[in-house]
């Protein structure tokens, strides 16, 4: 299973991610009669039997939906259309792996505390704007609270199983980390960046001309104080209306495309130590001071060491779990009712 990843092997975590994707929605009217009938028909259409259990068309459709939700974050519709055969194959693999995993968890007697499951459910529920939106998303996924509990319980058992299967994997060696860095320097290209601080006086869309003039006068007074020698960080802590005021206005490093155009244009035009005049954006009036610049180039090895170590460790875990599922599939009784799905 070359396309194996932790997220797609069992779909357990992916299912919860898909639910979370609806957190900003206010929800709909739930499943209507037509969708309920379609789901019933799909559930009765058996595609594969695995170790005495079944994979239905509905199981596969759910998995396809979950995978597409992940793909939409980095692929356009044309790319996704081309990938659909692979997506459907992966969806079926996921459904089969789900059954194999549940059987293995049961065989090993892995248990999860009910309170821990309830805590995980509350964490996901908190992502929704209301209880109605949360329940609407459950209906959209053809789920109810009991089914959600079951899904999260299985997901947490899977986490424990994966932890057991990968606990003995050694960390990446220095030689492995260095070899990866040398062979993949294109991955570690840093763009041009600046580290800047700012002071913001907010201007609202509904502010009157008189209020805007008052705020403009305020930022002009701050600028005059800075030019007279006032400390920028102290002035930011005292006067700025941005959360960065707690850090003396420090926004850290950012690259082009990270800020609104007016702010970015000014920040990248300044040299380290230079301060801008008053810059107006949709957020209000700013004074910007650049502390450092970082020119584009390859990140030093030491700067990337931990990132590579983490990546290689995850890669080793994925390979180990992939091999584990392959071994389960080798000995499992898998019967393809739909012959077009035979790999």
């Amino acid at each position: 299973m070359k396309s194996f990843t932790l997220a797609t092997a069992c779909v357990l975590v992916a299912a919860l991610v898909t639910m979370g994707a609806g957190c900003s929605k206010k929800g709909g009217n739930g499943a209507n009669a037509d969708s309920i009938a379609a789901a019933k028909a799909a559930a009765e259409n058996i595609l594969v039997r695995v170790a005495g259990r079944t994979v239905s068309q509905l199981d596969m459709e759910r998995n396809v939906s979950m995978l597409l939700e992940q793909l939409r974050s980095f692929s356009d519709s044309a790319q996704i259309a081309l990938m659909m055969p692979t997506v459907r194959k992966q969806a079926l693999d996921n459904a089969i792996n789900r059954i194999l995993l549940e059987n293995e968890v049961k065989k090993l007697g892995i248990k999860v505390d009910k309170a821990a499951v309830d805590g995980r459910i509350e964490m996901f529920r908190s992502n929704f704007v209301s209880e109605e939106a949360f329940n609407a998303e459950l209906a959209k996924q053809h789920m109810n609270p009991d089914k959600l509990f079951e899904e999260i319980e299985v997901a947490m058992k899977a986490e424990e199983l994966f932890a057991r299967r990968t606990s003995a994997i050694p960390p990446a060696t220095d030689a492995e980390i260095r070899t990866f860095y040398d062979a993949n320097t294109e991955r570690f290209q840093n763009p041009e960046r600046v580290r800047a601080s700012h002071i913001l006086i907010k201007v609202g869309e509904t502010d009157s001309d008189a209020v805007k003039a008052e705020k403009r006068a305020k930022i002009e007074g701050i600028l005059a104080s800075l030019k007279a020698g006032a400390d920028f960080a102290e002035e930011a802590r005292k006067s700025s209306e941005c959360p960065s005021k707690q850090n003396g206005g420090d926004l850290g490093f950012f690259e082009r495309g990270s800020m609104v155009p007016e702010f970015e244009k000014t920040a990248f035009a300044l040299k380290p130590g230079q301060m801008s005049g008053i810059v107006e954006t949709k957020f209000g009036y700013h004074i910007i001071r650049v502390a450092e610049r970082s020119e584009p180039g390859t990140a030093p090895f030491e700067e990337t060491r931990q990132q590579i170590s983490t990546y290689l460790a995850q890669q080793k875990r994925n390979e180990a779990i992939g091999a584990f599922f392959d071994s389960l599939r080798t000995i499992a009784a898998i019967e393809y009712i739909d012959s077009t799905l035979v790999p």
Side-chain angles (χ1 to χ4, degrees):
M1 297 194 334
K2 295 179 181 178
S3 55
F4 179 88
T5 67
L6 284 177
T8 60
C10 325
V11 190
L12 301 172
V13 177
L16 302 178
V17 171
T18 301
M19 286 189 57
C23 65
S24 62
K25 300 175 183 176
K26 297 188 180 296
N29 296 322
N32 56 33
D34 289 341
S35 65
I36 292 174
K40 184 175 184 295
E44 293 172 350
N45 182 18
I46 304 305
L47 304 179
V48 182
R49 288 193 177 92
V50 184
R53 296 174 60 185
T54 60
V55 175
S56 69
Q57 180 185 338
L58 180 60
D59 296 326
M60 186 167 175
E61 288 175 354
R62 283 176 174 168
N63 292 345
V64 168
S65 176
M66 294 169 194
L67 293 174
L68 290 178
E69 192 69 35
Q70 297 173 48
L71 285 174
R72 289 188 185 104
S73 64
F74 55 85
S75 301
D76 60 33
S77 57
Q79 292 173 316
I80 290 175
L82 291 173
M83 296 170 66
M84 279 308 298
T86 300
V87 169
R88 294 189 66 80
K89 179 183 182 304
Q90 184 66 62
L92 183 62
D93 282 343
N94 289 346
I96 293 171
N97 285 345
R98 164 65 181 261
I99 293 174
L100 297 175
L101 178 129
E102 288 184 341
N103 288 347
E104 189 69 10
V105 161
K106 183 177 181 180
K107 183 176 76 173
L108 295 175
I110 295 176
K111 305 292 184 182
V112 176
D113 184 66
K114 180 180 182 301
V117 178
D118 288 336
R120 185 76 65 90
I121 291 174
E122 285 306 311
M123 180 179 71
F124 283 102
R125 181 183 276 110
S126 68
N127 291 326
F128 291 80
V129 295
S130 67
E131 187 70 14
E132 291 75 18
F134 177 72
N135 290 329
E137 186 63 25
L138 285 182
K140 178 181 171 184
Q141 300 295 331
H142 307 293
M143 297 177 73
N144 56 38
D146 289 340
K147 180 63 175 175
L148 176 62
F149 184 96
E150 176 189 332
E151 290 296 309
I152 294 183
E153 183 179 41
V154 174
M156 295 179 73
K157 288 178 179 178
E159 291 169 3
E160 173 61 24
L161 174 61
F162 293 164
R164 293 184 187 184
R165 299 295 306 188
T166 61
S167 61
I169 295 176
T173 65
D174 288 343
E176 289 173 327
I177 296 171
R178 183 75 214 197
T179 297
F180 185 89
Y181 175 83
D182 291 340
N184 297 276
T185 53
E186 73 282 355
R187 295 191 182 195
F188 307 110
Q189 298 302 306
N190 285 332
E192 178 187 14
R193 299 183 302 162
V194 296
R195 180 180 179 184
S197 300
H198 80 140
I199 295 170
L200 169 67
I201 300 300
K202 291 182 179 179
V203 175
E205 292 182 0
T206 59
D207 285 353
S208 65
D209 289 343
V211 170
K212 289 180 181 178
E214 181 180 333
K215 292 181 177 180
R216 178 82 188 196
K218 181 176 181 179
I219 196 78
E220 287 174 347
I222 295 170
L223 181 60
S225 296
L226 293 171
K227 288 182 176 180
D231 182 78
F232 193 98
E234 287 301 319
E235 195 64 44
R237 278 188 276 268
K238 181 175 68 175
S239 304
S240 183
E241 296 174 353
C242 174
S244 64
K245 66 185 294 182
Q246 297 178 0
N247 300 319
D250 188 3
L251 297 168
F253 275 101
F254 55 88
E255 59 191 71
R256 293 185 187 275
S258 302
M259 301 292 182
V260 290
E262 304 89 347
F263 190 101
E264 177 183 292
K265 181 179 179 181
T266 299
F268 278 90
L270 296 171
K271 296 178 180 179
Q274 284 187 327
M275 182 178 69
S276 73
I278 297 170
V279 178
E280 184 174 356
T281 74
K282 65 180 180 180
F283 300 109
Y285 301 119
H286 309 254
I287 302 170
I288 306 168
R289 183 179 184 278
V290 167
E292 299 177 66
R293 295 185 71 94
S294 176
E295 298 303 324
T298 304
F301 172 68
E302 288 302 325
E303 185 179 304
T304 65
R305 176 191 289 273
Q306 186 56 53
Q307 176 189 350
I308 296 172
S309 177
T310 300
Y311 172 81
L312 292 178
Q314 185 64 66
Q315 191 176 59
K316 289 182 178 183
R317 285 193 290 270
N318 286 350
E319 290 172 354
I321 297 171
F324 170 63
F325 274 102
D326 285 345
S327 68
L328 293 180
R329 290 168 73 98
T330 299
I331 62 176
I334 302 177
E335 177 188 1
Y336 291 87
I337 309 304
D338 184 339
S339 61
T340 65
L341 299 175
V342 176

